[in-house]
Amino acid sequence: MSEGTKEPDGGEEKVVLKTHDGQEFTVDMATANQSGTLKNLLSEVGSSSNNPQVIPLPSSITSRVLGKVVEYCQRHAAGGGRRGGMQALEQFDEELVELDKDMLLDVTYAAAFLDVPRLLDLTSQAVADAIKNMSVEEVRHYFGVVSDFTEEEEKVIRSECPWAFE
Amino acid sequence: MASAFEWDRLPHDLQHSILLRLPISTLLLCKSLSRSFLDTIRSPTFLDAYSSLRRGRRSRHRDDLFLLLFADRSRHGLAAAYLPSRCCWLPLPIPPSLHHIHASDGSLVVAATGKNSGGDVVCDLFSQTLIPILPRMPHSYILALIDEEASSDFRIVAVGSQKPVGNALNAVYVSSQVYDSRSGRWQPKGQLPGHYAMLGNAVFLDGLLFVLGRLPDHLLTFDLDSGEWSVVDVALPPPVFCLHLLVFDGRLFLVGGLEEDVVIARIGIWELDLTKSEKEWRHFCFMPDECFQEFSVNELVHFQTIDRFGIKILARACFGSTYGIAEMISTSPKRLAIRFTCFHVTYIQGTYGQNSSIFLSAIEASNHMDSQFSVSMPLLVGLRGSIFLAALRLEADSTMEDLKAALNEHVDLVSELLEKFSSELRSGFGPAVDNFVGFFHAIDWKEPWLICLLTFHFILLVTTMLSRKNVNFQLCLSLLSFSGVYFAEWINSFLGKNWKSFSSQNYFDPHGLFISVLWSGPLLVLTILIVVNTLFTLCHLMVKWKKAELRHRARLARDKQE
């Protein structure tokens, strides 16, 4: 979705992010620098617009997920300094995390991997908000967790927090 | 595409990142999800991070519990917290090494660790971290624990007399000392400006600690930095009992019960405007009757109040039954709304049913335990075992709420205008009828002089009708009634001065409404009748005259012919 959204203008350095499923995202340096991981990587290897670096990403970051991250980084690289843009940016953030559960957790994972602290904040908070009013069973289902307590332990837990199992 | 997401696949720091953002209640719940959750949440690194993040930023979102601490003295303590969003109670374990909990602010409590009163600790109930503090002076008790915002520092204020406990009432001046977590030391600071039988709860506002001194009743302030005590020049609202100070939204409030015949008849809230030079506890509101009845059940002789971040109040009548919550809501910077609710608590009775052995203490304790009783309130020892305290917290106003409030205010204004306008429209018709009905009912029609007046009008009417043939008489009558109308004003003012001699009340208002309706009105109606009658007579006369003329002409013509 973000592929080629930014036309390469002469002289500006570009980076190509390549996902495991073969999609390529071309982003400029300002966008890439939002990610601590990419920033470190690029400061070591360097890059140029004529021959952009291609950075392969692990399989856990799909093109759909990366699209979200790139969208966030581009928006924040461009919109941070604009006057009056803060509100629009906040709204953008809010809408960005309106995702289904798997997608949200994948984006959280990608944000952690690429080291985008503010995106990580955002998605972690969204996950926290999502499970805030759930019961134990619902949270287990949400996170794909299977109880590994023994029956007695489970019983003790239930008697300690009867409210959580309602 | 990723398959179904698995929590355990997440790196640890990511798990932390999510868990750190959970409110306390959800975090407690997460402990029972699985072993890995339990281990993560119990790990010291996570607890430290959670504790500092929660306290450092003072996030209301995370601190979503109302805390009610139960310190069972025989066994080790257990705390119960009320979770408003789910309307349920959560048990919270208290570290077994803690004994008496003296005071608290939020999840931070000051407690004794052993039998010897010297060794206190400050404990964060959620992270279960213990911070030992140096012993305070002997025979003192902790007045307040102040958890500072935006840092993990705290201060503790303790007061006590230097004399042994024995004759506390004769004790000399009570001195105070302050513990600062930054320096890690107790420092003697200040002396109370007099002797008080007891001190009530303390609240921290704008760098000052406000304390209620009882017997004599004074509002005291304590400056933590300079160590200066002073008395605020303000009288307590009379006759109020079970007092509790609370701060909400930077304003100082007092909660108390108004006493009538030994029982508390109403619970009210008063506010003290600290910016004014002439200080006065201004009445803010009373608990609504229906709520109060539910709260007090039969007779209310005593109740306790707790608040947290200014919210709430909580109180209760006799052991473990009813709680009332007054939730202060700031609807705009200038306005505060209070919502009262009552609820019955079954959890406490069911699970901690041995009333006699339960001692309830609290977060932001308003009455402290043993030490306070023995030092300064020997009279209240009898209440042991039935003192309870709870802590509640308030969703204080956020910018969003302010915005909403401003919007609401605007809407209010517009709807008020609309209502005024429409009522003015309606008032064109409705009120006239209402006024007339009201006027009619306001008059006592059985008064003799009124009956005479009505009879007079009736006779006049009958005379007019009987004399309809006599035009001259009617003319005189109409002249008379006109003069009656003409003199109405004079009559009104004359009778207005002398109404006492003949009437039970003064009907003769300066506007002359009464005289117009009962005197001038009928006379005018009478004259109108006369005029109409005269017109008829006139027409009749003209017809008669025309007939006579025609007849006369016919006769003339006939004479000519002859």
Side-chain angles (χ1 to χ4, degrees), chain B residues 384-404:
Chain B
R384 191 184 69 74
S386 64
I387 305 257
F388 96 100
L389 303 161
L392 307 166
R393 56 169 300 266
L394 174 61
E395 297 296 329
D397 51 335
S398 62
T399 14
M400 200 51 216
E401 273 170 32
D402 278 351
L403 201 70
K404 255 192 236 163

Side-chain angles (χ1 to χ4, degrees), chain A residues 60 62 64 101-102 105-106 108-109 112 120-121 124-125 127-129 131-136 139-140 142-150 153-154 157 160-166, chain B residues 1-11 13-14 17-19 21-23 25-26 28-38 57 61-62 64 83 85-86 88-91 347:
Chain A
S60 53
T62 64
R64 201 164 149 242
K101 177 189 80 181
D102 289 339
L105 287 168
D106 283 340
T108 311
Y109 180 81
L120 184 62
D121 274 354
S124 300
Q125 188 64 57
V127 175
D129 287 344
I131 63 169
K132 204 161 63 183
N133 289 316
M134 287 185 176
S135 72
V136 168
V139 181
R140 277 182 185 159
Y142 189 93
F143 285 131
V145 172
V146 181
S147 166
D148 47 6
F149 292 117
T150 64
E153 282 172 326
E154 178 91 19
I157 287 167
E160 268 179 16
C161 309
W163 55 276
F165 290 85
E166 278 161 12
Chain B
M1 280 281 125
S3 59
F5 198 89
E6 279 179 25
W7 174 260
D8 297 332
R9 222 188 67 202
L10 284 176
D13 55 347
L14 201 50
S17 164
I18 292 171
L19 291 175
R21 285 172 175 76
L22 288 174
S25 59
T26 313
L28 292 170
L29 174 148
C30 284
K31 276 176 156 181
S32 45
L33 292 177
S34 73
R35 259 179 228 286
S36 74
F37 269 96
L38 189 62
R57 276 204 238 147
H61 164 70
R62 258 174 239 124
D64 65 342
L83 179 60
S85 61
R86 290 179 193 236
C88 63
W89 292 90
L90 284 87
Y347 178 79

